[in-house]
Structures are given as structure tokens and as C-alpha cells.
Amino acid sequence: MNKENLLSTMMKIVYNNKNIVCLLETGERVNTTISKDSLMGFKLILGVKDLNEIALLESMEEIIGNSYILQKEDGLSMMNNYFGNVLRYIAVIDDLTIVDFTFFKYDDVQSYIDVDSLCKIHIDKKNVLVGNVKITDVKYRQLKPTQKEFSKCCNEFFIYALKIARGLYRSEIVYSMNLFTKLKSRLDKMTLFYIGCQYDFSVNIGAYDKNMKTYLEKSHYEKLLETYPSPDKDKLWTALFNACMLFRKEGLHVSEKLDYIYPKEADREIVKYLREVWNMYAQ
């Protein structure tokens, strides 16, 4: 099995299997706003009458029979929607293409289409499903945060910053690196808010923020890269201060654009404290 004939093989399976009623595709392969390459995987949705796991996997034997990896997932999330009554698998097939496929009860498929603007119907044996008038990434675009979400992001960032500084002072490198991952995720979230404000919340940043470079000024993107740490105490300190400065810039911008409250006093006092701890460390 390879990516060139995967979709046609899948269609053949659907047409020949009475239990499988429809085949849908979503994700990067149907997103017209991004450039395509030969490394793209597949994200497929199959509507079925009966969620019989063993029978469904047997029906997919031609696709997954020689897979290097077949991983069962717990469910399927789409933005703020979670679909739990499904069977979902991620397979790495012969040519190392990643195939993400999810079985829905057919009666539940429409509810998924309604929240996934990239969903494209390939087959619907009952001709009942109502597809998207236009396949777009509109439902994947960065959402405007609430004041509560904005404040939570700020609070968590500064709490982690304090913990990291204390860990670095105590030479707890692994502890500090692990916490830095959490701090970095809050900085990345603020960067998403920042990009959203710049583009009126009308752009799709992509899975794992892969399109950040597209929407950030070159100098800003370079500053963001400087916040990725290496397991060296001095470089970790530098990355921490870089992250704080960038977070402040983005947070103030977002608060001004959205008329939200940014914790200026907490920012000022915590960064001041970080410098005091750094001076103790440097002595």
C-alpha cells in the first residue's frame, strides 16, 4: 500500500462493504490555503452502521495489513468539540505515510461535518449528508480569547517563570527544562493571540503552530526562536529572559487591541525578582 493508491483503495473498500456507508476526508490534503508536498498524510472519516471493532479492522486489512505502526486513539477532537463514541486509529503504512482514520456511527457524521469546515464528502451511499458549500479552514482559525483565557495564560506564564528561576538557582536542570516546556506553551498561546489580533482572527496557525513563521514579522519570529532553550544553565537563563520580554510585548499588544487588562505590576515585579535570583546565581 502507498499514498498514490490509498484513496482509491479506500473507496473500493467502502463500496464493497455494506457496513460502511460513507467516506469523508479532512485535514491538510483538502486545505487549499496551504502548499502541498509529497509528505502529506491522510485524515479520513468513515460512517458505519455498526461500530464492530474487529470487523472494521478486518475490512481495512488491505490498507493496514503491513503497517509498521497501528495506534488506537481515545477519540477525536475538533477545536472545542470532542467526539468520544468513535473508533480512531493512526497507521504508518508501507511507504511511511501516516493515515489517520476514524469510524463514526453514520447518524453522528453530520454533526462532525457541521463543525469541520475542511470536511469533504467522497462517498455517501444514502445521499443524506449535507456537505460544506465551500471547503475552507475557517473553523480552524485562531479564536479571539476571552479576558479570562487571556488572564489565565498570563498568570500561568509568570508562575512557571518563578519556578524555573528557582530551579536554575538550585542547578535543577531537568526540572527547569521540563517546566520551560510548560512556560513555552503559554508563550506560544500568547503568540497565537498576538497573530490573531494582527489578522483580525481570520487566519489558521496550523497544527502545532506550524504556520507561525508565515504570520510573524521576520524579527519577531527570530525573537521567538531565541526562547527555545538548550540544557545549559546560562543559556536557559537567557531563554527565560527572552521569553519574558517577548511575552510582555505580545501581552501588551493583545490587551490594547482587545481592551483587556494585562498584569503590568505582576510582570514588572516578577521580572525584577528573576533578575535578583539571576544575580545570586551569577555570583
Side-chain angles (χ1 to χ4, degrees), residues 29-144:
R29 296 182 66 90
V30 295
N31 188 351
T32 59
T33 66
I34 62 174
S35 57
K36 303 293 191 291
D37 59 40
S38 61
L39 304 180
M40 287 183 166
F42 291 81
K43 190 168 184 179
L44 304 171
I45 306 293
L46 297 101
V48 301
K49 298 175 184 176
D50 180 15
L51 281 173
N52 182 314
E53 185 170 17
I54 295 175
L56 288 172
L57 287 178
E58 287 177 350
S59 72
M60 299 286 287
E61 180 67 19
E62 190 173 353
I63 301 286
I64 64 176
N66 294 315
S67 296
Y68 291 109
I69 295 172
L70 181 63
Q71 172 66 34
K72 184 177 181 180
E73 299 294 318
D74 291 332
L76 181 63
S77 295
M78 169 55 199
M79 300 304 286
N80 294 324
N81 300 277
Y82 177 74
F83 298 89
N85 187 31
V86 300
L87 291 173
R88 183 185 176 202
Y89 297 87
I90 297 179
V92 178
I93 61 174
D94 305 34
D95 66 351
L96 301 182
T97 296
I98 298 174
V99 183
D100 182 330
F101 57 98
T102 305
F103 295 102
F104 277 75
K105 290 293 291 291
Y106 179 78
D107 291 343
D108 297 332
V109 172
Q110 186 64 57
S111 63
Y112 179 80
I113 296 174
D114 292 343
V115 298
D116 187 352
S117 58
L118 281 176
C119 199
K120 178 180 180 179
I121 300 173
H122 287 303
I123 299 172
D124 177 17
K125 294 178 182 177
K126 292 187 177 182
N127 292 314
V128 171
L129 299 175
V130 179
N132 293 298
V133 175
K134 185 178 180 180
I135 305 298
T136 74
D137 65 355
V138 64
K139 294 288 181 67
Y140 290 80
R141 293 172 186 173
Q142 175 58 42
L143 299 176
K144 176 182 174 181

Side-chain angles (χ1 to χ4, degrees), residues 15-252:
Y15 280 124
N16 292 334
N17 191 303
K18 293 181 180 180
N19 186 37
I20 306 176
V21 186
C22 68
L23 172 65
L24 291 68
E25 184 174 7
T26 185
E28 57 187 1
R29 296 182 66 90
V30 295
N31 188 351
T32 59
T33 66
I34 62 174
S35 57
K36 303 293 191 291
D37 59 40
S38 61
L39 304 180
M40 287 183 166
F42 291 81
K43 190 168 184 179
L44 304 171
I45 306 293
L46 297 101
V48 301
K49 298 175 184 176
D50 180 15
L51 281 173
N52 182 314
E53 185 170 17
I54 295 175
L56 288 172
L57 287 178
E58 287 177 350
S59 72
M60 299 286 287
E61 180 67 19
E62 190 173 353
I63 301 286
I64 64 176
N66 294 315
S67 296
Y68 291 109
I69 295 172
L70 181 63
Q71 172 66 34
K72 184 177 181 180
E73 299 294 318
D74 291 332
L76 181 63
S77 295
M78 169 55 199
M79 300 304 286
N80 294 324
N81 300 277
Y82 177 74
F83 298 89
N85 187 31
V86 300
L87 291 173
R88 183 185 176 202
Y89 297 87
I90 297 179
V92 178
I93 61 174
D94 305 34
D95 66 351
L96 301 182
T97 296
I98 298 174
V99 183
D100 182 330
F101 57 98
T102 305
F103 295 102
F104 277 75
K105 290 293 291 291
Y106 179 78
D107 291 343
D108 297 332
V109 172
Q110 186 64 57
S111 63
Y112 179 80
I113 296 174
D114 292 343
V115 298
D116 187 352
S117 58
L118 281 176
C119 199
K120 178 180 180 179
I121 300 173
H122 287 303
I123 299 172
D124 177 17
K125 294 178 182 177
K126 292 187 177 182
N127 292 314
V128 171
L129 299 175
V130 179
N132 293 298
V133 175
K134 185 178 180 180
I135 305 298
T136 74
D137 65 355
V138 64
K139 294 288 181 67
Y140 290 80
R141 293 172 186 173
Q142 175 58 42
L143 299 176
K144 176 182 174 181
T146 63
Q147 171 70 69
K148 182 178 180 180
E149 290 169 333
F150 176 76
S151 297
K152 186 173 187 288
C153 180
C154 293
N155 293 340
E156 291 177 345
F157 177 89
F158 289 119
I159 289 170
Y160 286 127
L162 286 170
K163 291 182 177 181
I164 291 166
R166 292 165 182 168
L168 290 175
Y169 175 73
R170 298 167 183 152
S171 296
E172 297 166 342
I173 303 301
V174 173
Y175 170 82
S176 300
M177 287 286 291
N178 287 335
L179 283 178
F180 211 105
T181 301
K182 295 181 178 296
L183 175 136
K184 188 67 176 61
S185 71
R186 274 58 177 185
L187 173 59
D188 289 345
K189 182 177 288 187
M190 186 60 73
T191 304
L192 298 184
F193 297 162
Y194 175 87
I195 292 172
C197 287
Q198 296 290 79
Y199 290 89
D200 197 26
F201 295 95
S202 62
V203 294
N204 173 15
I205 315 300
Y208 302 103
D209 310 330
K210 62 184 178 182
N211 299 328
M212 268 191 180
K213 184 178 181 180
T214 303
Y215 299 111
L216 288 173
E217 306 93 329
K218 185 174 184 292
S219 60
H220 195 130
Y221 182 71
E222 290 172 350
K223 287 291 185 184
L224 182 66
L225 294 182
E226 290 174 2
T227 65
Y228 285 86
S230 60
D232 173 271
K233 282 191 289 185
D234 291 340
K235 291 179 180 178
L236 270 166
W237 274 112
T238 301
L240 177 59
F241 284 120
N242 286 339
C244 288
M245 294 304 100
L246 191 58
F247 191 89
R248 174 182 293 172
K249 173 185 175 180
E250 294 176 348
L252 288 171

Side-chain angles (χ1 to χ4, degrees), residues 260-272:
Y260 288 169
I261 299 171
Y262 180 78
K264 294 180 181 178
E265 183 179 5
D267 180 331
R268 182 176 62 251
E269 292 302 315
I270 288 172
V271 172
K272 178 183 175 183

